[in-house]
Each structure stands twice: as C-alpha cells, then as structure tokens.
Amino acid sequence: MAVMNNTIFRPLSGDDPDPEISEIESLCLSCGKNGTTRLLMTKIPYFKEVVIMSFDCIHCGFQNNEIQPGGTIEEKGVRIILSVKTHEDLNRQVVKSDYTSIKIPDIDFEIPAQSQKGGVTTVEGILQRIVEGLSQDQTERRKLHPELAEKLNNYIGKVKSLKELAFPFKMIFEDISGNSFVSNPNAPYKDHGCENHLFVRDKDQDHVLGIYTSSEISNESSTAFPTSNFTLEDLNSEVLQFQTNCPNCTAPCNTNMKVTSIL
C-alpha cells in the first residue's frame, strides 16, 4: 500500500519523480500579457525550506527566476567566507536571498545587496553570470569607447581565470536576512573551506528588512497622523507614499496608496 507524502516542503532531489510544481497564470511585467509562474516548495538539505519561483512568457520570451525563504527572517545576519580552490568548490550549491551581497576581494569585485533577485546557483554559475553581465554591449563599446572596452576585456579575463582556477580565491556572501547558504560537500562533517559567521543587525539594516520596534512604529504613527486635526475626510483625500522595491528589478521606488470606495 502506497503512503502519500503530505509534506509541503519536500527535500530537493533530482531523483524525485513528482516534485509537485504548482503553475499559476500571471501577468508578464515585460509585455503585459499573461505568462506562467511555476512554484516549487522544497527543502534544501542542511539548510531550510524555500520557495523556488520561475516565470515564463510565451508571448515575448521574458523569463525570470527567484527564490524566497519558506520561513521567517532570521534573528541574525550571516556572513559566509568561502575559499575556492578546487572544481568541487566551483560546483558548490549557493542559495542567496535578495539581500545578499557578493564580494570577491582578489579581483576587487562586488555585487551589492538588492541588485539581483534571490536564487539557487553555484559558485561557477555566479562567475559565469558576472562574465555575461560585463560582456553585454561590448561590441558597441568597442566602437564608441575602445579604451574602456579593452580595460573591461582585461577584467573579464580575470573573472574567467577564476573559473579556470588559475589561483585560489575567496568569495564572501553577506546577507542581513540570514537566508543565504553555501553547501558543504562533506556534510554532515565539518566544512574546512567555508566559514559561517552570524552578526547582529543594526537599526538601519532592520529597517531595510521592514523590522521596526513597537516604539518606532508608535512614534512614526504619531508623526504621520497628528491626532489633533486629522479627520477621516482628510484620510480619504490623502495620497500616502512609502518606499518599496520594484518587483521587476528590485531597485528602490515609491508606492502611492489612496483610500477609496468602490460601489
């Protein structure tokens, strides 16, 4: 008799014959027509539950992939220092959130936090994406700014040399949400090539994550809505504005909100 697996977050495995992928019709942010969003709720070994999302539009070809934690924001941020020396290190699985910054000190390179969507990749995949990003518009750049294009070519060569393991290097991941992870090829034994350090977030970092203390919320509310002269009519005519991030490119932007009545 077969036993049904009712676990919402199933372990991530290439051998799973039925990974239970959910499909939802959703709006394409590129062309405005409907595409398909696929959701996979899974558990990454030795890490936690995550939701892997991919979007595909058959009309314009736009595609997007991202990952979101299946649980809450961690109490502390995490800094992961990975020493890359072997091909096994290049193949390490990397889970990074929207709030993960990536630094490669050996070539003075950094990907700022919130500049890319979270995702599941590998160390080699990160390097390949860097090469592809730097190589964009090089043909046009050679025509308009040949000296800059030449310097960029030299730098791209440095990144490629990391992929070829020309020399050992370090890759540093820092995530204020604490939801980043680098796999350990020797799990459950100690990982001698990777250091994990937890750190306490400061107030500004908490605010980036939308975390406020009760006193901060109280003070903000009293400042935004003075109790003396503010009426319901004032609220209905007021356009409220608050800072958010663009759902497409994650760049900071403003969201406007107004109370209305739909009959």
Side-chain angles (χ1 to χ4, degrees):
M1 179 178 177
V3 179
M4 292 185 64
N5 187 350
N6 295 322
T7 303
I8 296 178
F9 293 93
R10 291 161 60 173
L12 183 63
S13 172
D15 299 325
D16 191 344
D18 184 18
E20 295 188 6
I21 298 175
S22 301
E23 293 190 0
I24 304 172
E25 187 176 357
S26 51
L27 181 69
C28 177
L29 298 175
S30 179
C31 69
K33 297 181 180 180
N34 284 340
T36 302
T37 295
R38 294 176 175 84
L39 304 174
L40 173 62
M41 292 181 285
T42 186
K43 182 176 182 179
I44 296 178
Y46 302 101
F47 185 45
K48 61 174 63 176
E49 295 86 0
V50 297
V51 180
I52 301 175
M53 295 173 282
S54 69
F55 176 82
D56 179 52
C57 179
I58 61 173
H59 302 287
C60 68
F62 176 74
Q63 293 181 326
N64 184 38
N65 299 283
E66 61 179 290
I67 185 172
Q68 295 293 337
T72 59
I73 294 173
E74 295 295 316
E75 292 185 3
K76 295 182 179 180
V78 63
R79 183 180 298 108
I80 304 171
I81 304 174
L82 174 65
S83 297
V84 183
K85 301 177 181 178
T86 66
H87 288 286
E88 189 176 46
D89 292 326
L90 288 176
N91 290 328
R92 284 179 186 251
Q93 187 180 67
V94 176
V95 179
K96 61 187 186 70
S97 77
D98 296 356
Y99 302 98
T100 305
S101 67
I102 302 175
K103 298 178 182 178
I104 309 177
D106 297 85
I107 59 172
D108 195 24
F109 182 85
E110 178 177 0
I111 301 175
Q114 294 185 275
S115 62
Q116 295 180 350
K117 286 285 189 180
V120 180
T121 182
T122 62
V123 173
E124 185 174 13
I126 292 172
L127 296 175
Q128 180 60 32
R129 186 169 182 178
I130 293 172
V131 170
E132 292 173 355
L134 295 176
S135 300
Q136 285 183 351
D137 302 323
Q138 270 292 79
T139 302
E140 191 68 22
R141 197 176 289 115
R142 289 189 187 96
K143 299 176 183 177
L144 301 176
H145 308 285
E147 293 183 1
L148 177 60
E150 182 62 26
K151 291 181 180 179
L152 200 53
N153 263 346
N154 294 335
Y155 193 83
I156 292 172
K158 290 183 179 180
V159 181
K160 288 181 177 179
S161 69
L162 299 183
K163 288 181 59 182
E164 297 166 359
L165 294 175
F167 54 88
F169 64 95
K170 291 185 182 296
M171 187 173 283
I172 303 173
F173 306 86
E174 185 166 314
D175 182 2
I176 60 174
S177 74
N179 286 318
S180 288
F181 167 78
V182 175
S183 66
N184 175 7
N186 300 314
Y189 301 106
K190 181 177 175 61
D191 190 346
H192 296 284
C194 189
E195 304 173 20
N196 287 265
H197 304 278
L198 300 180
F199 62 88
V200 178
R201 290 185 292 266
D202 58 33
K203 183 185 294 186
D204 290 337
Q205 290 172 330
D206 274 341
H207 291 176
V208 169
L209 296 172
I211 300 174
Y212 293 84
T213 64
S214 55
S215 60
E216 288 174 333
I217 295 174
S218 177
N219 292 336
E220 183 69 21
S221 299
S222 61
T223 303
F225 302 104
T227 57
S228 56
N229 300 318
F230 204 83
T231 65
L232 181 59
E233 288 74 17
D234 294 328
L235 179 61
N236 288 335
S237 62
E238 186 81 8
V239 176
L240 306 178
Q241 186 178 86
F242 52 93
Q243 292 184 339
T244 55
N245 292 97
C246 173
N248 189 20
C249 68
T250 73
C253 63
N254 292 323
T255 294
N256 297 323
M257 182 176 67
K258 185 180 186 301
V259 177
T260 187
S261 177
I262 300 177
L263 300 177

